[in-house]
Amino acid sequence: MVNDQMVLDRGFAALAHPVRRSIVERLTRGPATVAEASRGSGISKPAITKHLRVLEDARLVQRTVEGRTHRLVLVAGAFDDPACWIDRQRELWERKFDVVDDFLAEQQSQSEPDTPEPREAR
Amino acid sequence: MVNDQMVLDRGFAALAHPVRRSIVERLTRGPATVAEASRGSGISKPAITKHLRVLEDARLVQRTVEGRTHRLVLVAGAFDDPACWIDRQRELWERKFDVVDDFLAEQQSQSEPDTPEPREAR
């Protein structure tokens, strides 16, 4: 349980920075070198290294080293845990509204008279 | 754009702590007082106040004050922005694999001979 919570903590925290999201967005298009994945971020190499470490610790991104080239790839099922948690909460919340809708519909059907209205009976 | 990024930063950061997720989980079942929403968290009132402020700043949770009672409710569409971002990345990533599948299927269909194999022709 603690482990699941840590996975979610790290996953959500990793996505809570525009530079890290931008790296992930680049990697959805395919593997990239560190330079390619961080292009346009306008921040220093040490800062990129820190952001990459956060993404790697969250198991969203995997790094392979080929000679001098560090290649980054999105981990299979990277978003499964945070997406699953969010979907579950939305589902529970929407179900709550369904229950309210059902209740209101039932109330309405009960208030509909079986016999004609007095005015119509006149 | 900067605004959208800030919404995502705050949304994901708000969900990156088990106490805040636990409050959100409680609120998916309906509005609750602060005491009800934080029951079982085992942390101090000032700590709860800080976590609630993070959830309110991220526009996930809204607080209404009725006399002495602070009532919490999940904001409508609370998860829309983070969920939408995650769904988009998954879609892009899966589409990448679809392209690879299509390519492989095409390669395979091209390698299938129109004429019988030499061995069969013998």
Side-chain angles (χ1 to χ4, degrees):
Chain A
M1 188 64 185
V2 171
N3 218 0
D4 289 352
Q5 294 287 8
M6 270 181 61
V7 168
L8 288 173
D9 286 0
R10 289 182 182 180
F12 282 126
L15 298 177
H17 196 287
V19 167
R20 293 196 291 265
R21 286 196 302 276
S22 152
I23 292 171
V24 168
E25 283 166 4
R26 169 61 189 82
L27 296 178
T28 57
R29 305 205 311 271
T33 62
V34 173
E36 286 164 352
S38 57
R39 191 162 292 158
S41 65
I43 59 171
S44 67
K45 274 190 182 182
I48 290 290
T49 301
K50 279 187 191 173
H51 284 306
L52 285 176
R53 200 167 301 147
V54 175
L55 288 167
E56 289 176 81
D57 286 347
R59 294 181 196 172
L60 295 177
V61 167
Q62 202 171 11
R63 180 197 300 249
T64 55
V65 181
E66 297 164 15
R68 284 191 193 176
T69 308
H70 288 218
R71 198 168 293 277
L72 305 171
V73 65
L74 212 57
V75 171
F79 308 111
D80 285 359
D81 291 305
C84 189
W85 186 88
I86 288 183
D87 288 347
R88 176 88 185 122
Q89 305 316 312
R90 288 177 111 180
E91 193 189 310
L92 285 171
W93 206 41
E94 278 157 20
R95 199 182 298 167
K96 194 179 73 75
F97 286 111
D98 289 345
V99 170
V100 173
D101 286 346
D102 290 349
F103 173 77
L104 292 176
E106 201 179 319
Q107 290 289 96
Q108 195 168 12
S109 77
Q110 281 177 2
S111 71
E112 278 168 10
D114 291 334
T115 52
E117 290 281 326
R119 205 207 302 230
E120 288 175 16
R122 262 186 257 159
Chain B
M1 190 62 186
V2 172
N3 217 0
D4 288 353
Q5 296 285 8
M6 270 180 62
V7 168
L8 288 173
D9 287 0
R10 290 183 182 180
F12 283 125
L15 299 177
H17 195 286
V19 167
R20 293 195 291 264
R21 285 197 302 278
S22 151
I23 292 172
V24 168
E25 284 167 4
R26 169 60 189 82
L27 296 178
T28 58
R29 305 207 310 272
T33 62
V34 172
E36 286 164 353
S38 57
R39 192 162 291 158
S41 65
I43 59 170
S44 68
K45 276 190 180 181
I48 289 290
T49 302
K50 278 185 191 172
H51 284 305
L52 284 177
R53 202 168 300 147
V54 175
L55 289 168
E56 289 176 80
D57 285 348
R59 294 183 196 172
L60 295 178
V61 167
Q62 201 172 12
R63 180 199 299 248
T64 55
V65 181
E66 297 164 15
R68 284 192 193 172
T69 309
H70 288 218
R71 195 168 294 277
L72 305 171
V73 64
L74 213 58
V75 171
F79 308 112
D80 286 359
D81 292 305
C84 188
W85 186 87
I86 287 181
D87 288 347
R88 177 88 185 125
Q89 305 317 312
R90 291 177 109 181
E91 193 190 309
L92 285 170
W93 205 41
E94 278 156 20
R95 199 182 296 168
K96 193 179 74 72
F97 286 110
D98 288 345
V99 170
V100 173
D101 285 346
D102 290 350
F103 173 78
L104 292 175
E106 202 178 320
Q107 289 290 98
Q108 194 168 10
S109 76
Q110 280 177 4
S111 72
E112 279 170 9
D114 291 333
T115 51
E117 289 281 324
R119 202 203 310 221
E120 288 175 16
R122 264 187 255 161

